Amino acid sequence: MVRILQLTILLLLAGIVNAQSVSRGEIRGLDEQIQDVKKDVIDLTAELTQLEEKLLFPSNTQVSFFVSFADAQLFDLEAVQLKLNDEIVAHHLYTFREIEALQKGGVQRIYTGNVQTGSHPLEVSFIGKSPAGKEHRANASYRVDKAVGPKFVEIKIAGAESAINFKDW
Amino acid sequence: MYLRLVSALRGAVPVSLLAFVPALALLCSPAAVGDDGKDELEDLFFGEAMFQAYQENFFDAIVDLDAELDQYRRLDEPELDPFSAHLGQAEFSVGDLELSYRMHREAGRAIEAVLKGNVPQPVRNEAAYRLAKIHYHKQQPSNALHALDMIEGRVPERVRAEEQFLRARVYMELGRFEEAVELLRDLKGEESLDGFVQYNLGIAQLKSGQEERGILELTSLGKNRSSDTARQALYDKTNLLLGSHLMEAGQLELARPYFDRVNLEGPFSNRALLGAGWVEAKAGRYDRALVPWKLLQDRKNTNESVHEAMLAVPYAYGKLDVHSTAAINYGRALESFGNEIDTLSASIKSIREGKFLEALRRKEAAQVKNWVVALRKLPDAPETHYLLDLMASNDYQEFLRNYRDLNDLFERNEEWLDSLSAYEDIIELRRAYYEPLLPGLDKRFRELDARIKLRIEQRDRFASRIEQMLVTRRPEHLAKAEEQEARLQLQSLRKLMAKSPGGFTAATQRRVARLDGVLDWRLATEYDHRLTEAYKHLQELNAEIEQLQTVYQSYVRSRQAATHSYIGYNDTIRRLRAQIQNTQGRLDTLMARQGNMLETLAVNELDRRRTQLESYQIKARFALADSFDRANELQEERADQMKVEQHRANQPEPLPQDNPPELEAPQKDGGEQ
């Protein structure tokens, strides 16, 4: 019976060898080709994204809103809603990963659209919970002054203080 | 078993750390904790790329960061761009992200570029460390050591411990265990590497001949307990490793506690239960071996340890001479092996029909944790529990991820192809809308242009006159229209009077002279006021021209925007479409090759397990027959024994041969005397 144990070990080792029965050279060659194609798709996607932006959101009408956390606080942001010119343009429900990314300092592009030059009212509201489970919500208004160039506005959410700050970029 | 465990575990720990390291590096990256002391986000788009990176959307993060870096490098004065505050972090982050996206060559190139650049020594050291990490991950320890040797002086604080840890593991890969021991000993107490340092130190000590110290180190690590499953798994691995090591060294009494320490719910529990049983069996205590083995016997019957226990349990019963129970257990094992062999055959068929790859391509694969295990719930999908060991191997993991990456890229490109068609429709709609409007707009534009030119001419004329008048006083230039008319009439009258002086009365001549005087007086006295007014009018004219020019510029922009919204895209779209289609062909081929590799390895693994079960089946059949024979023999022996006993019982009670002394006849000698 002890032989069964030895046999098992041998078979397990054979399994490892089996897993490598596809030759190393073949694996390496394929891996390099995969890396090449990844690089090509990355370059292609960058160009396509640029084309898309130029076509759909030309700089003279482009407006983008970004959401960030005011500080690296523990706050479970549940949803953010944006109203531009009295029209809901974005309503986002947050996943756990997105909240974590915001807490680490990431900035989320929540909306990109087109507006004429001039002043446009923006209303932002959010709802979320503090680590203690207390619900926080806030609303804030801002005037987006669109000039000839693209307009970028950062919406900084201070969840625990139920506050929203804006920054023009 | 020990050797296998050592190699398997030594492979496993660095992988888990590699998963941590980019995350740690990224934690330090954005807008914070850097050597430059920046803690504010200076560039919105860097923050956006990091948002993707933190969610492990590596592809999107690389595309964003590459675009930012490319844009930055094309600037005339890049140092004025706010992105320059994040440049160093961005370059390293791209390398990290490429590494996480399994683009080792690109990551290596990016880091080598940093090494060749004119950068401060700490940055160069960090780059060398990262390059070493890539080589280590690619299983090239010599190259990794070469990269580490490029480090001069101190490396940045935040990667110092990781650099030392990497160096130690490189030494271990190269068989330089003593040097590894030295480094790892210094690293003990490093919080971020807690557990991993001790584990590697223990292994290095065992390998370098410091058996006792190694065992002590690993024992102290294995005694820990944690609610974190990953950490507990490390402790369990350590205990399993030591238990197996001691069992193979014949130190059975010492080995058992290590197996007992392994968490019964953890991923190493099956092997620990099996090992605990073998320790007792080797010591001849089969009754005690049955305790862990019977526990294992009732566990999930796709596990190799469970299969082994299914044979081990009846084996122990046999040793305890309980052959009938042994026979029952062999029968149970045979039935289970038969079912499993059928499942394995169906799984192999399912993989060959492409069901495995089909399941891997599903969206849930990326979202559900342990998707591979969940695959088995899908109809016709293979039994993936058999593939867990294979799937835990580094190579297979890489293949799986690459396959999913290729599939993801393929789907992204398909979406782009759809988008390009939509863009073409948009462009045609725009062309159809704007082109008929443009001739009318252009006519109005020409009228506007003529007005602007006229106004500009007028403005220039006024401006030059006002300038002249500031130098030389010219009241006549400021005469109003009726005054100009009067001046001209008076001039012609004077000419007439000069030609025929007798034709005019003295009163008329005086009157003309008076009118001349009145006009000159008015122009002279109102000159300053009129000059000021003229200047104001010039300003107004300038404002009007400016307004006209704004309208003009706005028209030019609108016209440009209109034409730019549909002109000049067709060639680009055509080229991009051709490029995507070409890439799709390559992706398709590579997916087929990578998929074939995955299928081959999975089928090989299932086939191996099936062969193993078939061999177990044969052994179980023989053992079953043997147990039956022995059980029968035993039964016969018992029956014979019973017969003997019965026969004895049926015999009449034999007369006692020895009488008790009281029944003995009195001795005649004494009485008679």
Side-chain angles (χ1 to χ4, degrees), chain B residues 438-541:
Chain B
L438 285 179
L441 283 171
D442 283 346
K443 193 174 162 235
R444 282 169 60 193
F445 171 65
R446 280 194 295 275
E447 285 168 8
L448 178 70
D449 194 36
R451 266 177 67 198
I452 291 172
K453 276 183 184 157
L454 181 69
R455 287 281 181 268
I456 288 173
E457 270 176 35
Q458 287 176 338
R459 195 269 317 267
D460 291 348
R461 208 166 50 241
F462 282 136
S464 85
R465 275 193 185 179
I466 286 173
E467 236 170 80
Q468 279 175 16
M469 283 186 289
L470 287 173
V471 181
T472 319
R473 194 178 167 91
R474 298 288 297 271
E476 69 277 11
H477 283 179
L478 293 173
K480 290 175 186 169
E482 67 269 25
E483 289 168 345
Q484 289 284 8
E485 203 180 332
R487 263 171 54 81
L488 289 171
Q489 279 177 354
L490 287 170
Q491 260 179 6
S492 63
L493 277 172
R494 273 202 301 275
K495 274 181 193 167
L496 282 173
M497 281 190 264
K499 272 184 191 169
S500 51
F504 294 91
T505 61
T508 305
Q509 286 180 358
R510 275 200 304 276
R511 196 172 170 190
V512 167
R514 194 166 60 244
L515 283 171
D516 247 347
V518 167
L519 200 58
D520 286 346
W521 172 257
R522 191 189 290 175
L523 288 175
T525 53
E526 291 181 13
Y527 182 78
D528 291 340
H529 173 69
R530 286 187 182 201
L531 187 61
T532 310
E533 284 298 305
Y535 190 76
K536 280 183 189 166
H537 290 319
L538 181 67
Q539 297 292 92
E540 282 166 12
L541 193 57

Side-chain angles (χ1 to χ4, degrees), chain B residues 57-130:
Chain B
N57 297 332
F58 301 122
F59 180 85
D60 294 315
I62 294 170
V63 170
D64 285 356
L65 270 183
D66 265 356
E68 278 293 293
L69 283 166
D70 185 48
Q71 209 175 353
Y72 176 81
R73 286 179 191 127
R74 280 191 280 119
L75 292 173
D76 290 334
E77 289 178 294
E79 63 282 356
L80 299 179
D81 191 85
F83 185 72
S84 56
H86 302 292
L87 183 65
Q89 298 161 22
E91 278 175 337
F92 278 139
S93 296
V94 167
D96 275 340
L97 291 167
E98 283 170 340
L99 196 57
S100 302
Y101 197 51
R102 293 162 293 287
M103 291 172 68
H104 309 115
R105 274 196 311 180
E106 279 304 313
R109 271 181 212 153
I111 293 170
E112 272 164 10
V114 175
L115 280 170
K116 281 177 194 160
N118 182 23
V119 290
Q121 194 59 41
V123 177
R124 187 183 296 275
N125 286 346
E126 187 169 346
Y129 155 68
R130 282 162 192 268

Side-chain angles (χ1 to χ4, degrees), chain B residues 111-112 115 121 124-125 127-129 131-132 135 143-153 167:
Chain B
I111 293 170
E112 272 164 10
L115 280 170
Q121 194 59 41
R124 187 183 296 275
N125 286 346
Y129 155 68
L131 186 62
H135 286 308
N143 290 346
L145 189 60
H146 177 69
L148 286 169
D149 286 343
M150 283 195 270
I151 294 174
E152 286 172 20
R167 195 182 281 271

Side-chain angles (χ1 to χ4, degrees), chain B residues 388-442:
Chain B
L388 291 182
D389 281 344
L390 173 70
M391 285 173 168
S393 71
N394 286 349
D395 279 349
Y396 207 79
Q397 280 291 320
E398 289 270 298
F399 296 167
L400 272 175
R401 288 192 195 124
N402 273 341
Y403 185 76
R404 282 209 206 110
D405 289 345
L406 292 172
N407 187 51
D408 175 55
L409 296 181
F410 189 87
E411 286 177 0
R412 279 172 187 270
N413 280 349
E414 284 298 304
E415 279 173 24
W416 276 119
L417 283 174
D418 289 346
S419 296
L420 287 182
S421 303
Y423 297 160
E424 280 173 333
D425 290 345
I426 291 172
I427 287 165
E428 280 319 303
L429 280 171
R430 285 176 180 173
R431 191 191 303 279
Y433 176 75
Y434 285 121
E435 276 196 342
L437 291 177
L438 285 179
L441 283 171
D442 283 346

Side-chain angles (χ1 to χ4, degrees), chain B residues 341-356:
Chain B
I341 287 169
D342 290 346
T343 310
L344 282 163
S345 301
S347 296
I348 290 171
K349 185 169 169 274
S350 154
I351 290 175
R352 288 195 172 129
E353 283 170 356
K355 298 276 196 296
F356 181 51

